[in-house]
Amino acid sequence: MTETAKQEKVNQESKQEQRYYYTVMEEQEGMRLDQFLAAELKEHSRSYIQKLIKEGQVQVGEKKQKPGYRLRVDDAVVICVPPLKELEVLPEQMDLDILYEDEDVILINKQKDVVVHPCPGRYKGTLVNGLLYHCKDNLSGINGVLRPGIVHRIDKDTTGVLVVCKNDMAHKSLAEQLKEHSITRKYEAIVYNNFTQEEGTVDAPIGRSPVDRKKMAVEPKNGKRAVTHYKVLSHLNHQVNHIECQLETGRTHQIRVHMASIRHPLLGDTIYGPKNDMGLTGQCLHARVLGFVHPRTGEYVEFEAPLPEYFQKLLEKYS
């Protein structure tokens, strides 16, 4: 029996709770619960739907299930989408280094010591505050009130190119490309110790450190697959080397953890490397190139952020 979702709303505004009702058809049997709902509710990301399932906002036959639950024919699925929260993050006028902007995306060259999005206890001075001022209401809402438009992020002390989405269509397109590992992401770093080979790949799962939950670590048992390709650009003085890293996956602190795991921690990275910060503020890491298929035109586009001044001075110092 073919049945589309019947939507029960208090009114048409997104500020009200929304309930959706589905009956699983024969051709949908065996699908994961989160996959099924992501296909039906295209206006929401799969990660957001997984969050709702884990919070108990989804029932299958009046029972709560896990995101990976395999559906059966005639299963009755109900999902409750809570009302959108009022945005608590205020716009701030900020000097943004804009590399490119159109109706769908904006590419920013992020500076050092800038946090990408607000977090508990820090609601001011982030890139999102500046974007809210610059873009007004033109940011996608998929990632909620604290991360509007943010489809990926880079660490506070990492510089370089970052793409932000202005609408949900662009956000879903970029999120899917990230999931499929089809986005080009090239970083440059200065690392300790000489290399015996000019290029290589680190394929090692990354997860929370069991020793220090604030850190990430190579975790064969509980980590998620992480792949970083690297090549030496210059051996400099052989005690430090200038390298390029290309990400195949995008785990938290991936380059920092991977390079430290093969005894090439980044200069200035006192979390995963020597406690001596070499006079730097954070790790010497720059997101130089970002390339993706444009969500509207379908054409591949690539953007590049020039090396920051501090990075160039270090190259001169160690050459």
Side-chain angles (χ1 to χ4, degrees):
M1 161 178 162
T2 301
E3 185 172 311
T4 57
K6 292 181 293 183
Q7 187 176 348
E8 176 183 278
K9 296 181 179 180
V10 177
N11 60 36
Q12 295 298 314
E13 297 181 4
S14 60
K15 293 181 181 180
Q16 302 297 323
E17 176 182 286
Q18 298 176 18
R19 287 182 182 269
Y20 299 85
Y21 300 85
Y22 301 92
T23 298
V24 176
M25 296 179 286
E26 188 174 341
E27 61 268 25
Q28 296 168 321
E29 185 174 25
M31 289 181 69
R32 285 173 55 105
L33 177 60
D34 57 352
Q35 182 184 13
F36 169 80
L37 288 173
E40 296 292 339
L41 288 168
K42 297 186 187 304
E43 66 270 28
H44 298 296
S45 68
R46 186 169 172 179
S47 60
Y48 178 67
I49 287 171
Q50 288 173 336
K51 178 175 177 286
L52 292 181
I53 296 172
K54 291 173 183 176
E55 290 176 350
Q57 301 283 10
V58 176
Q59 290 189 342
V60 182
E62 299 184 355
K63 291 183 179 180
K64 297 175 183 177
Q65 299 289 355
K66 294 181 178 180
Y69 170 80
R70 297 290 176 176
L71 294 168
R72 302 172 183 174
V73 174
D74 292 333
D75 270 348
V77 181
V78 181
I79 179 170
C80 171
V81 180
L84 292 176
K85 296 179 182 178
E86 289 293 332
L87 191 62
E88 298 173 349
V89 183
L90 299 177
E92 293 179 38
Q93 189 169 7
M94 194 176 293
D95 186 16
L96 299 176
D97 185 357
I98 299 173
L99 300 171
Y100 173 82
E101 182 177 10
D102 63 23
E103 62 183 317
D104 300 304
V105 295
I106 180 170
L107 280 292
I108 303 292
N109 181 15
K110 190 187 84 66
Q111 306 302 305
K112 251 188 184 297
D113 198 34
V114 174
V115 175
V116 171
H117 59 77
C119 56
R122 184 161 187 169
Y123 296 99
K124 296 181 179 180
T126 74
L127 184 62
V128 161
N129 294 104
L131 286 165
L132 286 171
Y133 182 91
H134 177 80
C135 298
K136 305 296 188 287
D137 295 327
N138 297 319
L139 288 173
S140 74
I142 286 178
N143 269 344
V145 296
L146 296 183
R147 295 188 293 170
I150 303 300
V151 68
H152 72 121
R153 67 179 185 86
I154 52 181
D155 296 334
K156 176 173 73 76
D157 291 317
T158 299
T159 57
V161 60
L162 185 81
V163 61
V164 178
C165 298
K166 289 186 167 185
N167 53 60
D168 290 357
M169 178 276 292
H171 196 125
K172 285 184 282 188
S173 173
L174 269 293
E176 187 63 27
Q177 291 179 59
L178 278 168
K179 179 182 174 184
E180 294 174 352
H181 312 312
S182 61
I183 289 183
T184 301
R185 286 175 291 172
K186 293 180 181 180
Y187 289 69
E188 289 191 22
I190 299 178
V191 301
Y192 287 98
N193 306 325
N194 199 28
F195 287 82
T196 56
Q197 55 185 23
E198 296 301 299
E199 57 184 68
T201 297
V202 183
D203 187 343
I206 291 177
R208 287 283 169 192
S209 168
V211 178
D212 184 349
R213 300 300 292 174
K214 294 180 180 179
K215 296 172 62 175
M216 308 302 289
V218 170
E219 279 292 303
K221 287 186 68 175
N222 301 315
K224 294 182 179 180
R225 187 171 186 239
V227 181
T228 304
H229 306 284
Y230 67 88
K231 66 179 179 180
V232 178
L233 299 176
S234 171
H235 287 281
L236 298 177
N237 66 359
H238 294 281
Q239 293 178 336
V240 296
N241 290 246
H242 179 202
I243 66 169
E244 177 185 274
C245 293
Q246 182 159 348
L247 294 181
E248 188 172 316
T249 57
R251 307 303 175 200
T252 302
H253 298 175
Q254 180 171 317
I255 292 174
R256 298 166 64 188
V257 172
H258 270 174
M259 299 317 297
S261 75
I262 60 172
R263 300 183 180 179
H264 295 288
L266 278 60
L267 262 68
D269 191 347
T270 57
I271 295 177
Y272 299 106
K275 297 305 177 185
N276 178 11
D277 62 9
M278 302 296 287
L280 298 175
T281 303
Q283 65 279 354
C284 185
L285 183 62
H286 178 69
R288 185 174 58 84
V289 175
L290 184 69
F292 54 88
V293 174
H294 193 283
R296 188 173 299 274
T297 68
E299 296 180 358
Y300 178 78
V301 290
E302 196 168 274
F303 304 91
E304 183 169 347
L307 288 174
E309 184 179 2
Y310 90 91
F311 201 120
Q312 294 179 25
K313 287 183 177 179
L314 285 171
L315 292 178
E316 294 171 3
K317 176 180 177 180
Y318 293 113
S319 293

